[in-house]
Amino acid sequence: MTQALILAGGRGERLRPITDYVPKPLVPLANIPLLEWQLRYLQQFDIYDVVICTGYKAKLIQNFLSRGGYDQVRISMENEPLGTGGAIRNAATYIHDDFYVLNGDIITDININSIKPNHIASVPMRTQFGTLKIKENNIIEFKEKQVIRDQWINAGVYGFKTDVFAELPIRGDIEKTLFPRWAHAGRLKVTKFPDSRWYSIDSFKDLQECSRYVSDIIPIKNPYSSHS
């Protein structure tokens, strides 16, 4: 698969006031826009044909793409919020083959080429807080954030065939519409990445934590500077 959609239609309310002035894809992470990190991530897998599904302050995203020479990156415009499912359907005219979908607020080193159509990438759940090991009301061990190996979460990276468009809602989130139907019918599969690094950028705390590691997860090189 050589095409990808980036779902970037959210307003990033928890990152206000920054997102009052720029859309969430342009919020800086270690002084580089989140969107650019994601484009660099996709480039590692030879994915240059990218569509960004957005509407909020889309002109700023377009200006960013124009200045950076991202010729194969296009915008699928939403005149109103469509939800993740509606956004994918709205971008159908740009897609000509099997494709990936990536949530616009994640940073990861997941091997996207391992994800087949009708598969969801999954990573182990990580606790948000320190945990206690207790015996008879005595704390015998204190642990910081840790991975829970027997619990898995949706990593926000998917593979699809083009026939998915006929089943998507005009408006609505794919997680609440298509995925439950497919899961019930046994059509939805998972690709597990037990050792991959993964961050969801939803708050200033997430920005701060991920900024310490992002350059180790994704190369610094501009993926489009030497691509023809």
Side-chain angles (χ1 to χ4, degrees), residues 133-144:
K133 186 175 182 180
I134 300 173
K135 183 177 182 180
E136 297 178 353
N137 291 330
N138 292 317
I139 298 174
I140 59 175
E141 188 176 1
F142 183 89
K143 294 183 178 181
E144 287 298 326

PDB file of all heavy atoms in Angstrom, residues 133-144:
ATOM      1  N   LYS A 133       1.934  -2.191  44.575  1.00  0.00           N
ATOM      2  CA  LYS A 133       1.763  -3.597  44.914  1.00  0.00           C
ATOM      3  C   LYS A 133       1.556  -3.675  46.412  1.00  0.00           C
ATOM      4  O   LYS A 133       2.390  -3.197  47.190  1.00  0.00           O
ATOM      5  CB  LYS A 133       2.985  -4.411  44.489  1.00  0.00           C
ATOM      6  CG  LYS A 133       2.795  -5.911  44.680  1.00  0.00           C
ATOM      7  CD  LYS A 133       3.980  -6.692  44.129  1.00  0.00           C
ATOM      8  CE  LYS A 133       3.762  -8.188  44.285  1.00  0.00           C
ATOM      9  NZ  LYS A 133       4.913  -8.970  43.744  1.00  0.00           N
ATOM     10  N   ILE A 134       0.409  -4.236  46.814  1.00  0.00           N
ATOM     11  CA  ILE A 134      -0.002  -4.184  48.220  1.00  0.00           C
ATOM     12  C   ILE A 134      -0.161  -5.589  48.789  1.00  0.00           C
ATOM     13  O   ILE A 134      -0.680  -6.485  48.128  1.00  0.00           O
ATOM     14  CB  ILE A 134      -1.328  -3.402  48.359  1.00  0.00           C
ATOM     15  CG1 ILE A 134      -1.149  -1.963  47.848  1.00  0.00           C
ATOM     16  CG2 ILE A 134      -1.825  -3.417  49.792  1.00  0.00           C
ATOM     17  CD1 ILE A 134      -2.433  -1.181  47.784  1.00  0.00           C
ATOM     18  N   LYS A 135       0.289  -5.752  50.020  1.00  0.00           N
ATOM     19  CA  LYS A 135       0.100  -7.005  50.739  1.00  0.00           C
ATOM     20  C   LYS A 135      -0.320  -6.680  52.157  1.00  0.00           C
ATOM     21  O   LYS A 135       0.406  -6.017  52.898  1.00  0.00           O
ATOM     22  CB  LYS A 135       1.387  -7.830  50.734  1.00  0.00           C
ATOM     23  CG  LYS A 135       1.234  -9.196  51.405  1.00  0.00           C
ATOM     24  CD  LYS A 135       2.517 -10.004  51.300  1.00  0.00           C
ATOM     25  CE  LYS A 135       2.354 -11.382  51.928  1.00  0.00           C
ATOM     26  NZ  LYS A 135       3.616 -12.171  51.831  1.00  0.00           N
ATOM     27  N   GLU A 136      -1.532  -7.098  52.503  1.00  0.00           N
ATOM     28  CA  GLU A 136      -2.081  -6.855  53.840  1.00  0.00           C
ATOM     29  C   GLU A 136      -1.996  -5.386  54.219  1.00  0.00           C
ATOM     30  O   GLU A 136      -1.529  -5.008  55.298  1.00  0.00           O
ATOM     31  CB  GLU A 136      -1.353  -7.729  54.870  1.00  0.00           C
ATOM     32  CG  GLU A 136      -1.534  -9.217  54.634  1.00  0.00           C
ATOM     33  CD  GLU A 136      -0.774 -10.063  55.622  1.00  0.00           C
ATOM     34  OE1 GLU A 136       0.008  -9.474  56.423  1.00  0.00           O
ATOM     35  OE2 GLU A 136      -0.938 -11.293  55.607  1.00  0.00           O
ATOM     36  N   ASN A 137      -2.451  -4.553  53.313  1.00  0.00           N
ATOM     37  CA  ASN A 137      -2.503  -3.099  53.494  1.00  0.00           C
ATOM     38  C   ASN A 137      -1.130  -2.429  53.590  1.00  0.00           C
ATOM     39  O   ASN A 137      -1.036  -1.251  53.900  1.00  0.00           O
ATOM     40  CB  ASN A 137      -3.341  -2.717  54.726  1.00  0.00           C
ATOM     41  CG  ASN A 137      -4.810  -3.014  54.523  1.00  0.00           C
ATOM     42  OD1 ASN A 137      -5.301  -2.961  53.386  1.00  0.00           O
ATOM     43  ND2 ASN A 137      -5.512  -3.315  55.596  1.00  0.00           N
ATOM     44  N   ASN A 138      -0.093  -3.181  53.340  1.00  0.00           N
ATOM     45  CA  ASN A 138       1.248  -2.593  53.294  1.00  0.00           C
ATOM     46  C   ASN A 138       1.695  -2.455  51.838  1.00  0.00           C
ATOM     47  O   ASN A 138       1.539  -3.391  51.042  1.00  0.00           O
ATOM     48  CB  ASN A 138       2.258  -3.466  54.046  1.00  0.00           C
ATOM     49  CG  ASN A 138       1.997  -3.485  55.534  1.00  0.00           C
ATOM     50  OD1 ASN A 138       1.714  -2.452  56.142  1.00  0.00           O
ATOM     51  ND2 ASN A 138       2.076  -4.675  56.130  1.00  0.00           N
ATOM     52  N   ILE A 139       2.231  -1.298  51.515  1.00  0.00           N
ATOM     53  CA  ILE A 139       2.795  -1.108  50.181  1.00  0.00           C
ATOM     54  C   ILE A 139       4.168  -1.762  50.164  1.00  0.00           C
ATOM     55  O   ILE A 139       5.075  -1.355  50.894  1.00  0.00           O
ATOM     56  CB  ILE A 139       2.901   0.380  49.827  1.00  0.00           C
ATOM     57  CG1 ILE A 139       1.501   1.026  49.816  1.00  0.00           C
ATOM     58  CG2 ILE A 139       3.591   0.561  48.475  1.00  0.00           C
ATOM     59  CD1 ILE A 139       1.525   2.508  49.624  1.00  0.00           C
ATOM     60  N   ILE A 140       4.307  -2.763  49.308  1.00  0.00           N
ATOM     61  CA  ILE A 140       5.596  -3.470  49.248  1.00  0.00           C
ATOM     62  C   ILE A 140       6.386  -3.114  47.986  1.00  0.00           C
ATOM     63  O   ILE A 140       7.578  -3.401  47.908  1.00  0.00           O
ATOM     64  CB  ILE A 140       5.391  -4.994  49.323  1.00  0.00           C
ATOM     65  CG1 ILE A 140       4.510  -5.485  48.164  1.00  0.00           C
ATOM     66  CG2 ILE A 140       4.784  -5.381  50.655  1.00  0.00           C
ATOM     67  CD1 ILE A 140       4.368  -6.998  48.126  1.00  0.00           C
ATOM     68  N   GLU A 141       5.707  -2.468  47.048  1.00  0.00           N
ATOM     69  CA  GLU A 141       6.422  -2.048  45.842  1.00  0.00           C
ATOM     70  C   GLU A 141       5.660  -0.920  45.171  1.00  0.00           C
ATOM     71  O   GLU A 141       4.430  -0.922  45.134  1.00  0.00           O
ATOM     72  CB  GLU A 141       6.583  -3.220  44.875  1.00  0.00           C
ATOM     73  CG  GLU A 141       7.484  -2.913  43.688  1.00  0.00           C
ATOM     74  CD  GLU A 141       7.706  -4.137  42.804  1.00  0.00           C
ATOM     75  OE1 GLU A 141       7.147  -5.206  43.111  1.00  0.00           O
ATOM     76  OE2 GLU A 141       8.438  -4.012  41.799  1.00  0.00           O
ATOM     77  N   PHE A 142       6.406   0.068  44.695  1.00  0.00           N
ATOM     78  CA  PHE A 142       5.816   1.187  43.961  1.00  0.00           C
ATOM     79  C   PHE A 142       6.431   1.219  42.574  1.00  0.00           C
ATOM     80  O   PHE A 142       7.649   1.204  42.428  1.00  0.00           O
ATOM     81  CB  PHE A 142       6.094   2.507  44.687  1.00  0.00           C
ATOM     82  CG  PHE A 142       5.447   3.694  44.034  1.00  0.00           C
ATOM     83  CD1 PHE A 142       4.173   4.084  44.371  1.00  0.00           C
ATOM     84  CD2 PHE A 142       6.116   4.414  43.059  1.00  0.00           C
ATOM     85  CE1 PHE A 142       3.569   5.181  43.768  1.00  0.00           C
ATOM     86  CE2 PHE A 142       5.523   5.503  42.445  1.00  0.00           C
ATOM     87  CZ  PHE A 142       4.246   5.885  42.801  1.00  0.00           C
ATOM     88  N   LYS A 143       5.576   1.250  41.549  1.00  0.00           N
ATOM     89  CA  LYS A 143       6.061   1.269  40.174  1.00  0.00           C
ATOM     90  C   LYS A 143       5.534   2.490  39.447  1.00  0.00           C
ATOM     91  O   LYS A 143       4.380   2.901  39.652  1.00  0.00           O
ATOM     92  CB  LYS A 143       5.619   0.002  39.431  1.00  0.00           C
ATOM     93  CG  LYS A 143       6.233  -1.275  39.968  1.00  0.00           C
ATOM     94  CD  LYS A 143       5.799  -2.461  39.121  1.00  0.00           C
ATOM     95  CE  LYS A 143       6.441  -3.755  39.605  1.00  0.00           C
ATOM     96  NZ  LYS A 143       6.040  -4.928  38.775  1.00  0.00           N
ATOM     97  N   GLU A 144       6.365   3.053  38.596  1.00  0.00           N
ATOM     98  CA  GLU A 144       5.921   4.146  37.731  1.00  0.00           C
ATOM     99  C   GLU A 144       5.067   3.573  36.604  1.00  0.00           C
ATOM    100  O   GLU A 144       4.719   2.391  36.599  1.00  0.00           O
ATOM    101  CB  GLU A 144       7.139   4.908  37.188  1.00  0.00           C
ATOM    102  CG  GLU A 144       7.830   5.768  38.242  1.00  0.00           C
ATOM    103  CD  GLU A 144       6.924   6.864  38.785  1.00  0.00           C
ATOM    104  OE1 GLU A 144       6.092   7.389  38.007  1.00  0.00           O
ATOM    105  OE2 GLU A 144       7.015   7.183  39.973  1.00  0.00           O
TER     106      GLU A 144
END
